[in-house]
């Protein structure tokens, strides 16, 4: 017995698919897997079949045509074709998480393509597909052109391919934004954008902090609930950074949350990692992000007795300082914004 891959368009009418399968059964062809692609021309059925060794590609094609299949494509298949397409796509996505530079090879494997080309951002062609040519938008700019002779691409294949391109873009962006931070005492930490997958580690960070540290961050000594932590990990319009040890333990978190044209910054550093310059390094990165993103200024709200935070903010630049009871608000304009009059802050 031999493995074959068959693709054919079948009229989306009751009984037509059974006619095709019956025609294959008459030639002792066993259907191992089938996937249906919905198109404007009809349902495109993708079969993986096991056929007698004596059958040729012409025999298989004739059986499909006799079963009312149109636009037929027949080719020999390998054993790895036994994996269904969703499983295959997930496996390739897993590879991209570790090797985003392998996007071209991944697209070839996903689509059985003959060639993948990257085209620069100046190309204005709209993403989409026609026949055996597909154009995929690159989130970083430009586009990918995917080519194969036969069969024609389907909407499902285009959607899967674009999803892989976007996944690779996210991984590359995260790797680019990840840096190794060397503290003054020689300790090495990894600073990177937070993701929703950091929830458990960030919860552990909060639980390991003293009530005094939590009070300076949240103006209360309690640990926020998971819903609040999820909002902090992926703020709309802002960014959250985490600092982690080489072993992966998160020991600090810094937030930039959008407030109109302002970005509110906040910082939490585990007690044992304080006074090592980590807070200053995280706030400098948030300030740089705010400048690149067009924020007018960044503002921090902290207790008047949080001398360490106030000192760290002063290192970032001059700005306005306002006190309301025990609460101090420090506003630092970004590059090109007017600097407000600075007033002294007191600690108590």
């Amino acid at each position: 017995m031999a493995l074959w891959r068959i693709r054919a368009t079948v009229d989306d009418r009751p009984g037509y698919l059974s006619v095709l399968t019956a025609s294959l059964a008459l030639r002792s062809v066993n259907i191992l897997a089938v996937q249906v692609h919905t198109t404007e021309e009809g349902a495109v059925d993708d079969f993986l079949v096991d056929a007698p060794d004596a059958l040729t590609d012409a025999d298989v094609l004739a059986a499909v045509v006799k079963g009312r299949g149109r636009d037929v494509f027949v080719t020999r298949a390998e054993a790895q074709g036994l994996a269904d397409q969703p499983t295959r796509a997930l496996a390739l996505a897993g590879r991209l998480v570790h090797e985003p530079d392998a996007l071209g090879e991944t697209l070839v494997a996903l689509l059985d393509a003959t060639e993948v080309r990257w085209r620069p951002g100046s190309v204005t062609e709209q993403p989409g597909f026609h026949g055996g040519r597909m154009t995929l938008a690159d989130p970083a700019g430009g586009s990918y052109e995917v080519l194969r002779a036969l069969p024609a691409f389907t909407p499902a294949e285009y959607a899967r391919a674009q999803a892989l391109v976007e996944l690779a873009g996210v991984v590359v962006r995260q790797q680019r934004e990840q840096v190794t931070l060397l503290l003054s005492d020689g300790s090495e930490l990894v600073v990177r954008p937070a993701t929703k997958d950091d929830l458990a580690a960030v919860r552990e960070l909060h639980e390991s902090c003293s009530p005094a540290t939590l009070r300076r961050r949240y103006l209360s000594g309690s640990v926020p609930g998971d819903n609040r932590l999820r909002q902090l990990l992926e703020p709309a319009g802002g960014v959250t950074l985490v600092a982690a040890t080489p072993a992966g333990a998160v020991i600090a978190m810094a937030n930039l949350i959008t407030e109109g044209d302002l970005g509110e910054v906040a910082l939490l550093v585990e007690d044992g990692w304080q006074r090592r310059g980590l807070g200053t390094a995280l706030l400098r990165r948030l300030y740089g992000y705010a400048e690149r993103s067009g924020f007018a200024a960044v503002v921090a709200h902290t207790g008047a007795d949080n001398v360490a935070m106030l000192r760290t903010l002063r290192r970032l630049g001059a700005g306005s300082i306002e006190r309301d009871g025990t609460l101090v608000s420090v506003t630092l304009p970004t590059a090109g914004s007017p600097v407000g009059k600075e007033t002294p802050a007191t600690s108590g």
Side-chain angles (χ1 to χ4, degrees):
M1 304 294 281
L3 292 175
W4 293 85
R5 179 188 170 199
I6 302 170
R7 178 174 287 193
T9 302
V10 180
D11 288 344
D12 193 10
R13 297 168 60 183
Y16 270 59
L17 180 58
S18 63
V19 172
L20 174 55
T21 57
S23 180
L24 292 173
L26 289 174
R27 301 302 301 265
S28 299
V29 176
N30 181 34
I31 298 175
L32 303 176
V34 61
Q35 181 183 8
V36 180
H37 303 252
T38 303
T39 70
E40 294 181 356
E41 289 75 24
V44 176
D45 295 324
D46 211 339
F47 299 97
L48 179 68
V49 303
D50 193 10
D53 291 333
L55 289 186
T56 66
D57 55 349
D59 296 328
V60 176
L61 188 149
V64 176
V65 172
K66 186 175 181 181
R68 299 181 180 176
R70 298 180 281 107
D71 303 323
V72 184
F73 171 78
V74 175
T75 187
R76 292 295 291 266
E78 302 296 334
Q80 57 264 33
L82 291 171
D84 60 83
Q85 283 297 322
T87 300
R88 187 181 183 188
L90 285 172
L92 292 172
R95 179 186 178 186
L96 280 181
V97 170
H98 301 287
E99 301 177 71
D101 291 338
L103 177 59
E105 299 172 25
T106 302
L107 290 173
V108 167
L110 175 72
L111 302 169
D112 296 317
T114 56
E115 189 175 0
V116 176
R117 308 168 181 165
W118 183 83
R119 309 181 73 180
S122 58
V123 177
T124 59
E125 184 175 358
Q126 293 297 313
F129 62 95
H130 179 73
R133 184 169 178 269
M134 180 184 296
T135 302
L136 302 163
D138 183 355
S143 62
Y144 288 92
E145 183 183 51
V146 186
L147 303 173
R148 76 181 182 198
L150 290 170
F153 289 121
T154 66
E157 289 177 313
Y158 172 75
R160 291 174 190 149
Q162 186 63 59
L164 285 186
V165 172
E166 292 173 0
L167 172 63
V170 170
V171 175
V172 168
R173 186 166 59 253
Q174 288 181 339
Q175 289 182 349
R176 186 184 304 123
E177 294 175 347
Q178 177 173 305
V179 298
T180 299
L181 178 63
L182 180 65
L183 301 182
S184 57
D185 61 4
S187 300
E188 285 192 6
L189 299 172
V190 173
V191 176
R192 58 172 175 79
T195 71
K196 61 183 179 181
D197 296 329
D198 291 313
L199 177 61
V202 166
R203 188 191 308 115
E204 291 178 7
L205 162 65
H206 282 74
E207 292 172 348
S208 67
C209 289
S210 67
T213 292
L214 292 174
R215 188 161 44 251
R216 285 193 292 268
R217 166 58 180 88
Y218 296 102
L219 305 181
S220 71
S222 59
V223 176
D226 283 358
N227 287 338
R228 175 57 176 157
L229 292 179
R230 290 190 186 96
Q231 294 173 354
L232 291 174
L233 285 173
E234 296 185 311
V239 67
T240 292
L241 301 178
V242 293
T245 65
V250 174
I251 49 84
M253 180 176 75
N255 310 104
L256 176 67
I257 300 174
T258 303
E259 286 189 347
D261 61 350
L262 300 178
E264 180 184 345
V265 294
L267 181 65
L268 179 69
V269 179
E270 188 179 299
D271 294 61
W273 289 89
Q274 295 174 13
R275 292 176 292 278
R276 301 196 196 185
L278 175 56
T280 300
L282 290 173
L283 288 178
R284 285 191 187 280
R285 289 187 66 79
L286 290 184
Y287 188 75
Y289 179 91
E291 287 187 320
R292 295 191 300 272
S293 301
F295 286 85
V298 296
V299 59
H301 306 292
T302 189
D305 62 343
N306 194 351
V307 178
M309 181 65 168
L310 293 171
R311 186 183 300 119
T312 298
L313 291 167
R314 288 193 185 98
R315 293 193 187 104
L316 296 182
S320 64
I321 302 176
E322 298 179 0
R323 179 167 178 170
D324 181 7
T326 61
L327 182 67
V328 174
S329 298
V330 180
T331 303
L332 300 174
T334 58
S337 299
V339 177
K341 180 181 179 181
E342 182 172 350
T343 58
T346 62
S347 60

